[in-house]
Amino acid sequence: MSDELPLVLVVDDDDDTASLLGMALRRRGFRVSAAPSCAAARAALAERTVDALVTDVSLPDGSGIELAASLETKPRAIIVVSGFGGDDDREKSRAAGAHAHLVKPVDVARLVSTLNGLLGRQG
């Protein structure tokens, strides 16, 4: 990867959540793009390569877990965000190719730490 800041695609249909996560990630040295649905995320991923995908589970046109599983080319880091954090939920995320499963409300420091670790960046 070049010296450019890592690009994170945040997929969430809640505008406030997407905006807050985007703002928090930008402040911590990431470039951010947002998509409100699986279809919009697929379109964004077809246009350019992203370093990380942070996706909500419940989206208007499908599941963030299904989105992660369906990607032919996977980003270096995939994080699923869900209101549920049981072992079964975490296993579904892992089976779909996610590297981490975080429970809402998302702790931004933990999200950043997880992204930095997965992307090999100093925190």
Side-chain angles (χ1 to χ4, degrees):
M1 187 177 139
S2 71
D3 289 331
E4 275 189 14
L5 298 175
L7 177 59
V8 179
L9 176 60
V10 175
V11 185
D12 200 308
D13 61 323
D14 182 80
D15 292 339
D16 291 337
T17 299
S19 178
L20 289 172
L21 287 178
M23 185 173 28
L25 290 171
R26 284 184 193 94
R27 287 183 179 165
R28 288 162 179 85
F30 294 92
R31 292 177 299 139
V32 179
S33 180
S37 66
C38 292
R42 284 188 185 94
L45 291 166
E47 288 180 16
R48 62 180 158 181
T49 301
V50 301
D51 298 290
L53 172 69
V54 176
T55 182
D56 189 16
V57 170
S58 298
L59 296 166
D61 60 349
S63 160
I65 291 173
E66 292 167 358
L67 171 66
S70 72
L71 298 177
E72 217 170 280
T73 303
K74 298 198 186 292
R76 293 190 298 147
I78 298 175
I79 299 174
V80 171
V81 177
S82 173
F84 302 98
D87 290 341
D88 187 50
D89 301 299
R90 293 176 190 281
E91 176 56 27
K92 286 178 186 173
S93 294
R94 188 204 59 75
H99 302 99
H101 180 105
L102 301 180
V103 179
K104 290 181 179 182
V106 175
D107 178 310
V108 172
R110 183 165 181 201
L111 174 61
V112 169
S113 173
T114 301
L115 282 168
N116 283 334
L118 292 169
L119 297 174
R121 296 177 72 204
Q122 296 295 322

